[in-house]
C-alpha cells in the first residue's frame, strides 16, 4: 500500500513537473532574444528538465529505482536553483510601493472648441459625449485614490506573492523528498529480492 501511494505521488509530481516545464518552454520561446541570451539558456534548461521529468514518469510507471532517483535529484537541484530567482524577484518587487503609489497626475481635460478636430457631422455627433464621460470617470478615480490605499494594495500583493513563492518552494521540496523516499523503497525491495536469490 505504501509503495502504491508513493508511486502515485511520484507519477503526479513527474506529470506536474513535465507539464509545467513544457508550458514554460513554449512560453519562453515567445520571448525576444536579449543580449545575454537568457531566454535561450532558460529554454535549454527546460529541455534538460523535461528529460529529467520523463525519467521520473517512466521510472514510476516501471518502478525503476535509478530513474526515480535521477528525477528526485533533479527536483532537489531545481528547488535550490529556482529559489534564487524567486527570492531575487521578491527583493526587486519590494521597493515598488513608493514608485507605484506616487501622487497621480491631475486629469484636467477641458473640452474647448479650439482643441476639437473638424469631423464630419455624423462622427462628431457620435463622439461628442465621449470626452466628457472619460473626463468624469478619470476625475472620479482621482478623487477616490489615496497614496495610503495604494500602498495597502501593493503591500497585500507583495505578501500574496511572497506566500505563493514560499508555498511553491516548500511544495516542490516536499515533492522531491517524497520521490526520493520512493526511490529508496524501491532500492530496498531490490536488495531484498537479490538477497533472497543469493540464499537460494
Amino acid at each position: 500500500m505504501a509503495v502504491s501511494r508513493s508511486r502515485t505521488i511520484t507519477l503526479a509530481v513527474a506529470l506536474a513537473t513535465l507539464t509545467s516545464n513544457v508550458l514554460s518552454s513554449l512560453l519562453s520561446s515567445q520571448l525576444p532574444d536579449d543580449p545575454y541570451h537568457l531566454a535561450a539558456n532558460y529554454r535549454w534548461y527546460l529541455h534538460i528538465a523535461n528529460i529529467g521529468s520523463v525519467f521520473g514518469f517512466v521510472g514510476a510507471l516501471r518502478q525503476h529505482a535509478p530513474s526515480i532517483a535521477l528525477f528526485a535529484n533533479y527536483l532537489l537541484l531545481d528547488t535550490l536553483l529556482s529559489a534564487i530567482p524567486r527570492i531575487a524577484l521578491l527583493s526587486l518587487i519590494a521597493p515598488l510601493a513608493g514608485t507605484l503609489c506616487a501622487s497621480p497626475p491631475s486629469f484636467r481635460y477641458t473640452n474647448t472648441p479650439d482643441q476639437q478636430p473638424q469631423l464630419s457631422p455624423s462622427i462628431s455627433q457620435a463622439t461628442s459625449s465621449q470626452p466628457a464621460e472619460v473626463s468624469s470617470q478619470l476625475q472620479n478615480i482621482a478623487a477616490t485614490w489615496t497614496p495610503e490605499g495604494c500602498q495597502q494594495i501593493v503591500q497585500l500583493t507583495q505578501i500574496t506573492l511572497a506566500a505563493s513563492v514560499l508555498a511553491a518552494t516548500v511544495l516542490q521540496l516536499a515533492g522531491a523528498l517524497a520521490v526520493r523516499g520512493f526511490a529508496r523503497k524501491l532500492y530496498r525491495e531490490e536488495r531484498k529480492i537479490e538477497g533472497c536469490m543469493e540464499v537460494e
Side-chain angles (χ1 to χ4, degrees):
M1 169 114 179
V3 173
S4 65
R5 183 172 180 261
S6 297
R7 181 181 181 200
T8 305
I9 290 172
T10 302
L11 282 169
V13 169
L15 193 60
T17 305
L18 185 62
T19 304
S20 171
N21 290 337
V22 166
L23 290 176
S24 297
S25 181
L26 290 174
L27 289 175
S28 68
S29 66
Q30 302 302 316
L31 294 175
D33 199 19
D34 56 302
Y36 299 111
H37 306 291
L38 295 175
N41 292 333
Y42 185 60
R43 278 192 299 274
W44 277 108
Y45 173 75
L46 289 170
H47 292 312
I48 293 168
N50 285 334
I51 293 169
S53 299
V54 168
F55 267 101
F57 188 74
V58 172
L61 286 176
R62 294 187 175 186
Q63 294 189 0
H64 187 247
S67 297
I68 296 170
L70 179 74
F71 177 58
N73 289 333
Y74 149 71
L75 279 177
L76 287 172
L77 182 64
D78 185 59
T79 302
L80 293 174
L81 290 177
S82 62
I84 296 167
R86 288 174 183 168
I87 292 170
L89 176 69
L90 291 177
S91 65
L92 288 174
I93 291 177
L96 285 180
T99 306
L100 291 176
C101 296
S103 296
S106 60
F107 296 108
R108 298 184 191 272
Y109 182 81
T110 57
N111 193 3
T112 61
D114 297 339
Q115 296 174 348
Q116 290 269 338
Q118 296 298 325
L119 301 172
S120 66
S122 62
I123 295 174
S124 65
Q125 289 173 356
T127 60
S128 64
S129 64
Q130 289 177 355
E133 290 174 15
V134 171
S135 177
S136 67
Q137 288 174 356
L138 291 175
Q139 287 175 354
N140 289 340
I141 291 170
T144 59
W145 185 90
T146 62
E148 294 81 20
C150 176
Q151 287 179 350
Q152 288 177 350
I153 291 171
V154 170
Q155 287 174 352
L156 182 63
T157 304
Q158 289 172 340
I159 290 169
T160 304
L161 184 62
S164 300
V165 165
L166 182 64
T169 304
V170 168
L171 187 63
Q172 188 175 0
L173 182 63
L177 293 176
V179 170
R180 192 173 191 183
F182 180 51
R184 285 184 181 165
K185 287 178 189 175
L186 289 178
Y187 274 127
R188 278 189 232 123
E189 285 182 5
E190 286 178 7
R191 286 184 188 146
K192 285 180 186 177
I193 292 171
E194 287 175 4
C196 290
M197 294 174 105
E198 288 176 4
V199 170
E200 294 175 359

